[in-house]
Amino acid sequence: MTITSEPAAAPDSVPFDRQDQLEQIQAGLVAGENLLAVYDAHGIGTGFLGLTDRRVIIQDKSFVGEKLAVTSVPYSRIHSVSVLSNKSFAGSFFSSGTIGIHVGTLTYEVEFRGSEKAQHVHNEILNRIVGD
């Protein structure tokens, strides 16, 4: 499957990269939960990340053997979210497509296919953890 730099949109305007990931997240939603986005990730570990109005859903492929986990993290359990970059802040704040999601002593590092997706996820999580 070809992944474009711009995410496709689900019929209900949910941005996503891959149809199979979108369908997997949709199948696991609870009653009344609204899907916000599903983005493919690359690099070691994470397969994709889904955002809903209640939680962050992360597919983690870093387990031993052929195992993978789909982990749900309620926004109330996220302590902070970071933008990870190898560049100085002299350039764009989102010069990287990588964010860190800090849950207790664990950090999920997610590298997206584009800095605009990282910025969307970062800002959505930040808005939900700091409140209005």
Side-chain angles (χ1 to χ4, degrees), residues 1-8 16-18 20-21 38-49 59 61 94-99 109-121:
M1 176 176 285
T2 302
I3 298 173
T4 63
S5 61
E6 289 298 317
F16 69 97
D17 290 322
R18 293 181 39 189
D20 61 324
Q21 295 169 348
V38 181
Y39 293 130
D40 190 42
H42 61 100
I44 298 172
T46 307
F48 63 85
L49 180 141
Q59 183 192 57
K61 296 193 254 183
F94 282 95
S95 59
S96 166
T98 306
I99 65 167
E109 187 174 317
V110 184
E111 185 177 357
F112 296 97
R113 299 179 187 276
S115 60
E116 62 284 333
K117 294 172 189 176
Q119 184 173 4
H120 178 221
V121 171

Side-chain angles (χ1 to χ4, degrees), residues 75 78-81 123-132:
Y75 291 108
I78 298 173
H79 299 286
S80 62
V81 60
N123 292 348
E124 189 65 43
I125 293 172
L126 185 63
N127 284 329
R128 295 193 182 266
I129 66 174
V130 298
D132 292 355

Side-chain angles (χ1 to χ4, degrees), residues 35-103:
L35 185 58
L36 305 175
V38 181
Y39 293 130
D40 190 42
H42 61 100
I44 298 172
T46 307
F48 63 85
L49 180 141
L51 290 174
T52 77
D53 58 346
R54 298 182 185 183
R55 60 190 163 135
V56 177
I57 304 165
I58 303 167
Q59 183 192 57
D60 188 350
K61 296 193 254 183
S62 63
F63 289 89
V64 176
E66 303 270 332
K67 297 179 183 177
L68 53 93
V70 176
T71 303
S72 294
V73 182
Y75 291 108
S76 63
R77 299 288 185 221
I78 298 173
H79 299 286
S80 62
V81 60
S82 304
V83 176
L84 306 176
S85 179
N86 292 330
K87 298 180 180 181
S88 72
F89 284 114
S92 171
F93 185 66
F94 282 95
S95 59
S96 166
T98 306
I99 65 167
I101 302 168
H102 311 281
V103 182

